[in-house]
Amino acid sequence: MTEHLLDPSRRTMLALAAAAPLLPQAVRAATPAEPLPSRDVGLAPREMLPFDTGWRFSLGHGSDPAKDFGFGMGQGDFAKTGDFKLAKTDYDDADWRALDLPHDWAVELPFVRDDRGEGDASNRGHGFKPLGRRYPETSIGWYRRRFDVPAADRGRRIWIEFDGAMRDAILWVNGCYIGRHNDGYTSFRFDLTDFLHYGGENVIVVRVDASLGDGWFYEGAGIYRHVWLTKHDALHFGKWDSVVRATPEGAGATLDLATVVANAGDAALQAVVEWTIADAAGSVVARASAPAVTVAAGGTAEAQVRATLPQAQRWSTETPVLYTATARLAAGGAVRDADRVTFGVRSFRFDADRGFFLNDKRMKLQGTCNHQDHAGVGAALPDALQRYRLNVLREMGCNAVRTTHNMPTPEWIAECDRAGVLVMCETRQMSANPEAMAQLEVMVKRFRNSPAVILWSIGNEEWLLQDKMAEQGKPIAATMVRRCHALDPTRPVSAAVNGDNEQGVSDPLDIIGFNYKVQYPEGFHAKHPTRPVYGSETSSAIATRGEYASDPARNLVNSYDGVVPWGQTPEAWWKLYGGKPWSAGGFAWTGFDYRGEPTPYGWPSISSQFGIVDMCGFPKDSYYYYRAWWRSEPSLHVFPHWNWEGREGETVSVWVYSNCDSVELVVNGRSLGSQQVPPLGHLEWKVPYQPGYIEARGRKGGRVLTERRETTGPGRTIRLTADRTTIAGDGRDLAMLKAELLDARGRPVPTAMDKLAFTVSGPGAIIGVGNGNQNCLESDKEPRRSLFNGLAQVIVQSTGRPGTITVAAVADGARAEPLLGGKVVLRAVRAS
């Protein structure tokens, strides 16, 4: 292990390269070995099959066994293996609902106000959804699926693998109890080999109990991440045990390659592991064969080797170049297994005096914290929606994300790898108990090949362990830090601490993160000049998109400078963490609004107002503050809108976010003068309202930018636009549609609140709707939605075949003047 990670006296600079040496000195780099046997057929020895389609679902009951399919009626459900009736082929599930995964049944439930108890004791924190022990009729879900296993699979090991389920999952196959998993975020799997009918039909049943949550925010319910059926040889690679650590050296890189070989057979075998490295174009750029290892029956063995890339492109936020490493396992004259991982070649370090460096280039972490849910679909995000959300953040200049407060989906990390977005990867439970340590291990092992991940976080705001229980906090954190270092000596370990970081969990940390508490970071840096510092959670600015006056009676927050008592405006926190040379940067709370924690108001608010964008990804005005100061190109944004009927003559505060040198404001053709743009600040004019327009004119280096807000007329036409009009007809890909109302001159009406109805024809389906309104209690699943301050969102997904998809929108309900409907045409193409 890298020594300086463990010795606080040597933390002057944590120079954590992308790969610390993996191999002991005694292990030599292998010379080219004999080729693998002729039966080298790529990844054919291992199959990882999508297992998301063809499920049936039914709600159960948390307290009445008669309404829970008899489960728990007596005490004999686990008494005899093979006797569980729901998992038998003759059980009739015709009245269960057919669906595909991922699935979140909580987002389908109505909103229910329940103020019994305070804080987490009510259902406020989870978005007023009827989940928990007070709601037994909607807190249990059953999933059932039939599947065939070919007779040719006999002799292979067959696993079912879940990327995540919320929360307590119990699994049966062919009447047999298999096991259970009671954490909502980590991946888990079960070996089904001995329980299957080969050459015949099989049945799997999963009971998911969402009565207990893992967090204090909306978490969803059900099998909300992907499921896979994996088949491999009895001699195989260990799960998430293949590791590539790339150390940049000059124009090239050294690759330390390691894996674990497991033998589930009855006899010892000699095995050889060969690695093939391919660049982004698929060309082979290196090969290496590890020395042969003997793997005992029922045992494991490590295989290690070193390879060299004479030329290696660097992974960075600007050029996220990925390489692929394929490991093939041979024994007995055949290729027995194969594994494939992606990786990047990059170095990074945290410097206590100068902040963060990527590939020796100094940069600030321009980050956001994010929960994982989205309007319309809750926690069950299709893969393409992960890409959409990340692109929204990248467009404003975000270069880093924190996975608050849990192990993220693999698709989120993969998108960050591909897009060049850095990741602070956080586990859910800060504890040294076996369950928490197992969660931590799964997270680190699964994502340690990711070039995007630069920090492991062992927890969030455990104030007792930080202060009153500091005596326990220190050893708990030390145990977790040691485990992270053992599994991955290449990355530092941190935590999100809402305190002074002077004791408890903070002592063993490599990097010091502050949540809010802006009175502490500068003093901490002065007192501990060798310990790197960043903002692990900052801001907590609040705003309702498109609103410009706070109104507690309507649960609205203004878009100028709304902030909670513990938080800071975007300008205040960024002037600290973005402006101080010793700071590595920080992570704003939050990038997206999220369901639950409806701060600062309660009912009928069902989501937070912390987001820089709303739950649909529609930007709030603060988005453009970050865009101005987190991106280098000239930027200009003026607000508010200019529709203030009935307020003629009243003073309106006009703000401008810009990184130009100066900005002039023109109102109805009259200049109100120019102002110099303050560093990391904003501009303001007080303007008596008259219908017409306001126009900002920014000047930067001889270039002039303009942006205008005009008084619009009433809505006349619905406009639908899509983030892309061509999608894969694979049953997974999707398009994000924006609905707006235009006036007679074709201008979007920023105050429109009309309710719309949507239809879809062709090989597509509406899987969710939203409008970003934190106080909207309309269904996320019905094909209708009110506009909120001019906008609504429709999520349309392919149903699995190519063809033309037409989505149309009309006014929903009576209206004084009719609206012209709108439509958009999508093309679903055959998946390659």
Side-chain angles (χ1 to χ4, degrees), residues 308-329:
T308 300
L309 297 180
Q311 299 290 326
Q313 293 179 282
R314 299 294 185 261
W315 185 96
S316 71
T317 54
E318 295 84 13
T319 58
V321 178
L322 294 173
Y323 288 82
T324 302
T326 302
R328 290 180 175 84
L329 173 64

Side-chain angles (χ1 to χ4, degrees), residues 737-775:
L737 274 57
K738 179 170 67 175
E740 302 171 279
L741 206 56
L742 308 183
D743 70 2
R745 293 173 54 186
R747 299 173 299 184
V749 181
T751 54
M753 300 288 193
D754 301 67
K755 192 168 186 178
L756 308 180
F758 307 100
T759 59
V760 61
S761 61
I766 295 173
I767 64 169
V769 295
N771 60 15
N773 183 358
Q774 296 94 341
N775 305 303

